[in-house]
């Protein structure tokens, strides 16, 4: 049987530390939260590989549990501190939300799939405010200091950006599949600065996909 505690330590030392994750609180959080509890049932032994785990929700498309080093870099860019009001979009089984909570954030986790909401509730209990609804809809509890998007967006996520406080930060994977980049948005009044962080890829969230064009 896999020693999950040892696998978690190896994940931190061999994946996160070597991918410019240097925030001590983030490293400690990833070393504390049992990732194997948040994967699809039967895939626990794959929890600590350095790959994104995907699962099909049916009507709502593919959801993803981002690879540890990708998720850690995204969360690090949010600069979470105790008391940060955070929104986790496309929470899936709830691992990203659990990480934000471990860092001291007050977390609202948004998911459109009812089965995933039920699965996340089993894993998170009442530590996170779980909300079922459209990923583009305004979430209760906003505006937010930090927004984590657990999927790729092909269009500027304006519906989410509008839920940020002034100086609030949003991280996502933005762009078409082969040219996507982890991107940080920061709000300044009614303006939003955007900065690409590194190349990255995740399955697209249907709510933030471009309309297919005509092919000739």
């Amino acid at each position: 049987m896999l020693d999950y505690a040892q696998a978690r330590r190896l994940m931190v030392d061999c994946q996160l530390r070597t991918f410019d994750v240097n925030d001590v609180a983030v490293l400690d959080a990833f070393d504390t939260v049992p990732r194997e509890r948040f994967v699809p049932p039967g895939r626990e032994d794959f929890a600590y590989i350095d790959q994104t785990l995907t699962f099909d929700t049916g009507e709502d498309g593919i959801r993803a549990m981002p690879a540890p080093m990708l998720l850690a870099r995204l969360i690090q860019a949010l600069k979470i501190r105790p008391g940060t009001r955070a929104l986790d979009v496309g929470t899936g089984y709830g691992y990203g939300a659990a990480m934000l909570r471990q860092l001291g954030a007050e977390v609202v986790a948004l998911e459109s799939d009812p089965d995933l909401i039920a699965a996340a509730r089993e894993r998170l209990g009442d530590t996170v405010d779980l909300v079922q609804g459209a990923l583009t809809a305004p979430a209760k509890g906003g505006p937010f200091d930090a927004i984590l998007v657990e999927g790729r967006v092909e269009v500027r996520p304006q519906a989410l950006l509008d839920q940020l406080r002034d100086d609030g930060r949003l991280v996502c994977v933005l762009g078409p599949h082969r040219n996507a980049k982890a991107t940080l948005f920061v709000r300044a009044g009614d303006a939003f600065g955007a900065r690409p962080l590194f190349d990255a890829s995740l399955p697209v969230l249907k709510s933030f996909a471009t309309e297919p064009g005509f092919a000739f």
Side-chain angles (χ1 to χ4, degrees):
M1 184 175 178
L2 183 64
D3 184 335
Y4 292 121
Q6 182 181 38
R8 195 155 52 247
R9 167 52 56 185
L10 288 172
M11 174 190 72
V12 170
D13 289 342
C14 300
Q15 296 180 43
L16 306 193
R17 292 184 188 275
T18 60
F19 194 54
D20 295 329
V21 180
N22 48 36
D23 185 303
V24 173
V26 172
L27 292 170
D28 286 347
F30 273 79
D31 194 31
T32 300
V33 176
R35 186 175 167 91
E36 71 275 7
R37 289 184 54 199
F38 295 90
V39 299
R43 299 174 70 181
E44 290 82 3
D45 286 355
F46 298 96
Y48 294 99
I49 63 174
D50 62 345
Q51 296 179 17
T52 292
L53 299 179
T54 60
F55 38 97
D56 194 342
T57 67
E59 183 178 339
D60 284 336
I62 302 297
R63 284 287 188 275
M65 185 180 191
M69 60 184 184
L70 170 55
L71 183 62
R73 284 285 298 274
L74 292 174
I75 290 176
Q76 180 172 261
L78 288 174
K79 297 185 178 180
I80 301 295
R81 297 294 181 266
T84 295
R85 189 70 175 161
L87 175 65
D88 182 36
V89 179
T91 195
Y93 287 91
Y95 182 67
M99 299 304 306
L100 296 172
R101 185 69 190 92
Q102 182 68 28
L103 288 165
E106 300 172 6
V107 184
V108 176
L110 180 61
E111 176 54 64
S112 57
D113 185 85
D115 292 335
L116 286 177
I117 282 285
R121 184 167 286 113
E122 289 180 0
R123 291 156 173 78
L124 294 167
D126 60 0
T127 62
V128 165
D129 189 359
L130 285 159
V131 177
Q132 182 187 343
L135 302 187
T136 55
K140 68 176 184 179
F144 298 96
D145 304 299
I147 298 178
L148 170 66
V149 185
E150 296 204 54
R152 181 166 53 87
V153 301
E154 293 181 330
V155 295
R156 179 186 174 96
Q158 194 61 48
L160 300 178
L161 293 170
D162 289 340
Q163 298 181 62
L164 284 175
R165 296 185 190 276
D166 197 20
D167 293 327
R169 304 164 76 87
L170 178 149
V171 287
C172 62
V173 174
L174 173 65
H177 174 59
R178 296 187 182 279
N179 297 303
K181 295 185 182 296
T183 302
L184 170 67
F185 289 89
V186 180
R187 182 167 194 167
D190 293 329
F192 300 90
R195 178 163 62 92
L197 302 175
F198 53 90
D199 293 338
S201 184
L202 284 174
V204 67
L205 294 171
K206 288 179 66 175
S207 300
F208 299 97
T210 56
E211 292 292 334
F214 291 102
F216 296 94

